[in-house]
Amino acid sequence: MVVWLHVCKLPGTTVLLVTSNREQSASYTVTANSVRKDTLSLTESLLKLSLALLCIMQAKGQVSFVGLPDTVTLLQSSTRGTVVYTFTMENCNSTNPTVTMDASPTTNFFNTPSLIIAGLDYNIEITLSSTVALNADVVNQYILTITATCDNETVFNQLFVMIKNDIVEPQCEPKFSSQAGDTVTVYSNIPASSPIYKVVLRQPNNAPVTYSIIQPSPSVFAISTSGSVLSPTSGFTNAAKTYQLQIKVTDSLGNSCNGTLTVEVLPVYQNPINFTVPSTAVTIRENAGPGAFVTTITAQGNNVQYEMISPNSAYYINADTGIIRTTFNLDLERIPSLASTTLQVRAYDKNLRSSSAIATVNITVLDVNDMAPLCTPAVIVNQVPQTTPIGNILATLTCTDPDVNSTALSYSVISNANSLYSFRMQSNNLVVNNTLNYDSAEIASVNFQYSATIVVTDSGTPQLTTNIPVFITVTPVNNYSPQCIGPLTYSVNENAPFGTVVGQLNATDADYKFNNVEFTIEGGQNPPVFYMDPKSGEIHVLGPLDFETRSSYSLRIQVVDLNNDIMPDPVNQKSTYCTITINVQDYNDNPPVCNPPYYSTTIYSTLVTTSNILSLQCTDVDPTSTLTYSIVGGNVDNLFLMNGNSIRHNPFSYNPDGVYNPVSFTLLVKVTDSTSSPQFSTTAIVNIDVVPWTTTQPTTTTTTTTPEKKTKIVNETSTYWQPDIWFMVVLTITAALLLLALSLLAWKLATGNPICGNTATEATQPLLQNKSVANVENPLDAAKEQPPPPSKDKKDIAPVSPLSLQFDGRAQDPVTGREYLFNSHTGERRWL
């Protein structure tokens, strides 16, 4: 058997790999260091296989593209089969790898990449397909994404292909090659075969270039090898006619461009031109200015145009109308030669220049007063304080008249809206005419600058003037003291938090910048309670307020003006003092207090229900608080009610045979200081002992109206505490013992066994009293007497009497099982 021997050298060890499969050996050979061929036993090769696989795993690397990503440039003229790019795929041990490619934008100009085995690697080649038609003007770049799969490993990368335009075509002139084409106009008398137009190329490459007239064919026109269009060999007839030619330009590579040429033929005719007046003289004044009318010349004929034969910089002529005008303002003092000028003007036919005539124009310029006065300085700029006195000289002018005939000069001031009546002229001196006000919004809008114009006028004809701009800047002087305005009394709630704005003190200062003042609180505030913003004058709460401690504050405020001089001058700084009052408004922040907090009294049960049992003495330091009283605890059967701060009672029932109210009550009276938030309350304890007392009075039937009960929501804050773990254990054990005791008590009651020697009959004896009220000598002793137990053999039956009409209900006692009547309004009971 023939085997393949592979030698894999590891550091310090040589491993032999043997296999009978050549293809498998070849795949291993990619990662082996050396290979040799020999004959060994299969058993020995299998023994070496495990070590060889270890060697191959260590030699194997990651599949990758060598040469990607990259950018290549491809000529637009490239043909099918052109190699675009070649690169290498390394570390692929598969015998059948796959390579795919995607192009963006999508195209079929590229073939699928081909694989070529190159030793231990694969060379990948990309070529152009048979459908290739590259055009750089349409797409100038393709992005090729190459993806390779080797065994279970996938790798991808990109190739950027740039398309370069290498095809140069002849380019005709845009107007000639446009749809309308170019136009040329010729006269009908042009010589035969004369050049009338030349085709010009913008890119004359790939010589030689040939020119041909493709329409009309044949054509009366000819075109030379240099591109010149020639008139017909027989010439034109003397008539107006239009020809349209289609011309093709072709280079040596066969590339071409087309153009259109329109030839307009004009007839030739005779048009004599002549002047009726061949010579004319004109007189003008030198101050006419540029473009001034001089004269008009007129020639007889059709399509007449005018031009100057001898050009002159001082005059020009309108070619269509023949009007002559000045080019600039004529100044004889500057250019004396302008006093007399002779012009020659030609009139000609614009269609036939040879038909023309010449006329002469003599122009005389008269001298006028055209030189305005000259003054120094040309602009007056000055800076003075706003307290400058009236009559003070601000500037002095020095003026002269440059005309030959010098004339006298006069001075005047033209003011604007801001400087009206502020200045006047004394001869050539500018003086202050009115107070210069700095403290004005109008003058501040122009940066405190008074503007005017001094007009200097000569006495010539016509009169000429010179304007001298005047800019006088006024600097500030601190003249006025600040004044406090607005409210001087403010209010703030005593619970206002830190930083609350109490109010704002406003102050005015007539000096500009208006109201530029600073505020300071003078005097001591120990500790400080208020803070004043020095810029805005806002008063803020700084410390805690308490209406009950202090309800009003008086603050002395110093107001100082700022920056009201050209330079800060503390000496001239002005100030004033204002006194403001801040009233602290009460806020409900104190609970009511009852003195004493505990009350105790004793009354007879016969006390009239309209009489007060007692009155609570409660106060609240908040003067705006209104105290309300309500009973929140201990009011058994609602026997008590509040009348303001006084306690009254409803009728008691101490019927030995019926309802027997308690004789001792502990009431909890809640005292609230407000009906809205914030709300504070306190609780007073009232202990009332009632002495039962009965009187004989006739029984009457009354109709009791059930009062409507209104739901009242009382908000109370509940506090809780979290006990320790040991306390919870003790509490749990105590609760278990209590539950056991209650269970035992319930069992005893259910079985009827006496508990501690007491029987159920003895427990119910108070309900079975039958003692006459008349036999009670002392009401306190009567309340303590216990009625005898009822007989087990005889059952009490309530006699029918008018009193039974007072009961509106019937019930059964849960302990004895006996039935009784009751009055739901008074609580009175009667055993059956």
Side-chain angles (χ1 to χ4, degrees):
M1 180 179 65
V2 179
V3 298
W4 292 87
L5 175 63
H6 307 271
V7 179
C8 179
K9 295 181 179 181
L10 296 176
T13 307
T14 301
V15 180
L16 300 179
L17 172 61
V18 182
T19 178
S20 61
N21 189 335
R22 180 171 184 174
E23 293 181 356
Q24 185 176 3
S25 299
S27 65
Y28 294 153
T29 302
V30 175
T31 59
N33 293 330
S34 63
V35 180
R36 66 181 178 177
K37 196 172 183 181
D38 202 351
T39 303
L40 297 174
S41 65
L42 180 60
T43 303
E44 185 178 358
S45 65
L46 294 177
L47 293 175
K48 303 297 183 177
L49 181 59
S50 60
L51 294 176
L53 291 176
L54 176 62
C55 176
I56 293 173
M57 291 176 64
Q58 293 182 355
K60 184 178 180 181
Q62 185 177 6
V63 179
S64 64
F65 290 143
V66 179
L68 289 182
D70 201 357
T71 301
V72 298
T73 301
L74 197 62
L75 298 179
Q76 178 176 318
S77 59
S78 300
T79 58
R80 62 173 292 186
T82 300
V83 177
V84 178
Y85 192 68
T86 302
F87 57 95
T88 302
M89 180 172 64
E90 291 185 342
N91 300 326
C92 181
N93 299 322
S94 173
T95 59
N96 188 26
T98 60
V99 179
T100 59
M101 181 180 67
D102 295 325
S104 177
T106 305
T107 181
N108 57 358
F109 294 167
F110 302 93
N111 291 322
T112 302
S114 59
L115 291 172
I116 302 173
I117 299 176
L120 303 179
D121 302 324
Y122 287 93
N123 288 339
I124 301 176
E125 185 178 78
I126 301 174
T127 59
L128 294 178
S129 66
S130 59
T131 61
V132 64
L134 301 176
N135 189 343
D137 296 331
V138 178
V139 179
N140 60 3
Q141 176 180 285
Y142 292 93
I143 301 176
L144 305 182
T145 303
I146 299 95
T147 304
T149 302
C150 183
D151 291 337
N152 294 327
E153 188 173 358
T154 302
V155 63
F156 67 90
N157 219 317
Q158 291 182 326
L159 177 65
F160 301 90
V161 181
M162 308 296 296
I163 309 301
K164 180 179 179 181
N165 188 354
D166 60 337
I167 300 177
V168 182
E169 298 179 353
Q171 296 184 10
C172 298
E173 285 292 329
K175 186 175 182 180
F176 173 72
S177 60
S178 64
Q179 185 175 1
D182 205 353
T183 302
V184 62
T185 302
V186 298
Y187 287 102
S188 61
N189 62 350
I190 189 173
S193 301
S194 297
I196 60 175
Y197 186 82
K198 182 174 179 59
V199 178
V200 180
L201 297 179
R202 299 178 62 187
Q203 193 170 343
N205 296 327
N206 304 322
V209 178
T210 59
Y211 304 86
S212 60
I213 299 175
I214 58 177
Q215 284 186 3
S217 181
S219 174
V220 296
F221 296 88
I223 189 167
S224 66
T225 56
S226 63
S228 297
V229 179
L230 306 178
S231 62
T233 55
S234 59
F236 296 107
T237 59
N238 191 19
K241 194 171 182 180
T242 301
Y243 301 87
Q244 191 173 64
L245 308 180
Q246 293 290 331
I247 300 174
K248 181 177 182 181
V249 183
T250 308
D251 63 8
S252 60
L253 299 180
N255 301 311
S256 63
C257 67
N258 298 338
T260 302
L261 177 63
T262 301
V263 181
E264 295 181 352
V265 181
L266 302 178
V268 177
Y269 58 94
Q270 297 295 327
N271 180 25
I273 304 297
N274 59 79
F275 288 99
T276 56
V277 180
S279 179
T280 182
V282 179
T283 300
I284 62 174
R285 301 175 69 88
E286 68 170 336
N287 63 345
F293 175 80
V294 178
T295 187
T296 301
I297 60 173
T298 304
Q300 294 181 344
N302 297 323
N303 301 320
V304 178
Q305 295 282 291
Y306 302 90
E307 65 178 357
M308 289 185 181
I309 298 176
S310 55
N312 190 294
S313 60
Y315 305 95
Y316 70 93
I317 188 170
N318 188 297
D320 295 324
T321 62
I323 298 177
I324 300 175
R325 296 181 180 274
T326 59
T327 305
F328 53 85
N329 186 43
L330 304 182
D331 188 357
L332 295 180
E333 285 79 13
R334 188 166 58 89
I335 308 176
S337 62
L338 294 177
S340 179
T341 303
T342 300
L343 302 177
Q344 283 189 327
V345 180
R346 175 189 291 121
Y348 63 92
D349 185 351
K350 68 177 181 179
N351 297 324
L352 187 62
R353 192 176 182 84
S354 59
S355 178
S356 63
I358 297 175
T360 301
V361 179
N362 296 315
I363 303 174
T364 301
V365 179
L366 300 178
D367 185 26
V368 295
N369 182 29
D370 59 351
M371 298 294 290
L374 297 178
C375 296
T376 303
V379 178
I380 296 176
V381 179
N382 201 353
Q383 179 174 292
V384 295
Q386 69 178 112
T387 55
T388 301
I390 297 174
N392 187 69
I393 298 176
L394 300 176
T396 301
L397 292 177
T398 301
C399 301
T400 58
D401 189 355
D403 282 320
V404 176
N405 296 325
S406 180
T407 59
L409 302 178
S410 61
Y411 302 86
S412 62
V413 177
I414 299 177
S415 303
N416 60 15
N418 294 326
S419 63
L420 189 63
Y421 308 125
S422 297
F423 310 107
R424 59 186 171 87
M425 294 299 299
Q426 286 182 350
S427 182
N428 60 332
N429 296 320
L430 178 66
V431 299
V432 177
N433 186 60
N434 200 355
T435 301
L436 302 179
N437 186 15
Y438 179 90
D439 307 314
S440 169
E442 291 77 8
I443 195 64
S445 65
V446 292
N447 296 324
F448 311 99
Q449 188 176 79
Y450 287 83
S451 302
T453 303
I454 299 176
V455 180
V456 183
T457 308
D458 62 16
S459 56
T461 303
Q463 288 185 330
L464 298 180
T465 60
T466 297
N467 296 333
I468 308 299
V470 178
F471 302 100
I472 305 298
T473 301
V474 180
T475 58
V477 176
N478 193 4
N479 294 327
Y480 307 100
S481 298
Q483 299 294 327
C484 295
I485 62 173
L488 300 179
T489 302
Y490 307 92
S491 298
V492 62
N493 204 311
E494 67 172 321
N495 71 328
F498 172 81
T500 299
V501 177
V502 178
Q504 183 176 16
L505 177 62
N506 294 321
T508 61
D509 186 4
D511 291 309
Y512 191 88
K513 298 178 178 180
F514 303 116
N515 309 331
N516 186 19
V517 296
E518 184 177 74
F519 301 88
T520 307
I521 298 177
E522 291 290 322
Q525 292 185 78
N526 190 19
V529 179
F530 299 99
Y531 161 76
M532 173 169 278
D533 190 314
K535 296 299 182 182
S536 65
E538 285 187 345
I539 305 169
H540 301 262
V541 174
L542 186 61
L545 301 175
D546 188 2
F547 175 84
E548 290 72 29
T549 303
R550 185 172 179 179
S551 61
S552 179
Y553 293 85
S554 181
L555 304 180
R556 189 169 184 259
I557 309 299
Q558 182 187 27
V559 185
V560 181
D561 59 8
L562 301 175
N563 302 329
N564 291 329
D565 290 296
I566 188 171
M567 295 293 292
D569 186 4
V571 176
N572 292 328
Q573 195 173 45
K574 299 183 183 300
S575 62
T576 189
Y577 292 88
C578 310
T579 301
I580 65 173
T581 301
I582 300 177
N583 295 322
V584 180
Q585 295 179 336
D586 182 45
Y587 180 80
N588 187 17
D589 57 352
N590 295 288
V593 175
C594 293
N595 188 18
Y598 176 82
Y599 295 84
S600 179
T601 186
T602 301
I603 63 172
Y604 286 95
S605 62
T606 56
L607 180 68
V608 181
T609 58
T610 57
S611 298
N612 296 331
I613 298 176
L614 59 82
S615 296
L616 303 182
Q617 303 300 323
C618 300
T619 59
D620 193 334
V621 294
D622 294 312
T624 58
S625 298
T626 301
L627 302 183
T628 57
Y629 302 80
S630 60
I631 300 174
V632 296
N635 193 6
V636 178
D637 295 331
N638 291 326
L639 291 175
F640 299 94
L641 55 90
M642 296 300 302
N643 180 28
N645 64 330
S646 300
I647 301 177
R648 294 184 179 182
H649 71 91
N650 289 319
F652 296 104
S653 175
Y654 292 101
N655 188 352
D657 296 328
V659 177
Y660 199 91
N661 293 135
V663 296
S664 180
F665 300 87
T666 300
L667 304 181
L668 300 180
V669 180
K670 182 178 180 181
V671 184
T672 306
D673 62 0
S674 176
T675 58
S676 60
S677 181
Q679 184 184 78
F680 296 91
S681 63
T682 188
T683 302
I685 301 175
V686 180
N687 187 26
I688 301 176
D689 293 324
V690 182
V691 177
W693 195 267
T694 59
T695 58
T696 304
Q697 56 182 356
T699 302
T700 59
T701 301
T702 59
T703 302
T704 303
T705 303
T706 303
E708 181 181 357
K709 295 183 179 181
K710 296 184 179 179
T711 303
K712 183 177 181 180
I713 300 176
V714 179
N715 295 323
E716 292 185 354
T717 301
S718 300
T719 58
Y720 69 96
W721 60 283
Q722 185 175 358
D724 295 333
I725 297 177
W726 64 268
F727 181 80
M728 295 301 298
V729 173
V730 173
L731 182 63
T732 303
I733 296 174
T734 304
L737 295 176
L738 179 61
L739 181 61
L740 181 62
L742 293 176
S743 300
L744 179 61
L745 176 62
W747 175 76
K748 289 293 184 179
L749 294 175
T751 56
N753 295 327
I755 301 175
C756 299
N758 295 329
T759 64
T761 304
E762 296 173 349
T764 58
Q765 285 182 0
L767 292 176
L768 302 178
Q769 295 179 16
N770 195 19
K771 185 180 291 185
S772 174
V773 177
N775 296 330
V776 178
E777 296 180 357
N778 191 332
L780 295 177
D781 295 338
K784 296 179 181 179
E785 286 186 0
Q786 297 294 335
S791 175
K792 295 182 180 179
D793 298 332
K794 186 177 179 180
K795 187 175 182 181
D796 293 339
I797 300 176
V800 177
S801 68
L803 291 176
S804 64
L805 300 177
Q806 299 179 1
F807 300 99
D808 56 358
R810 183 170 180 172
Q812 185 178 27
D813 184 82
V815 178
T816 61
R818 294 185 60 186
E819 293 183 345
Y820 61 92
L821 300 176
F822 66 91
N823 190 312
S824 60
H825 298 291
T826 63
E828 185 179 357
R829 298 182 183 181
R830 176 75 67 178
W831 290 106
L832 298 179

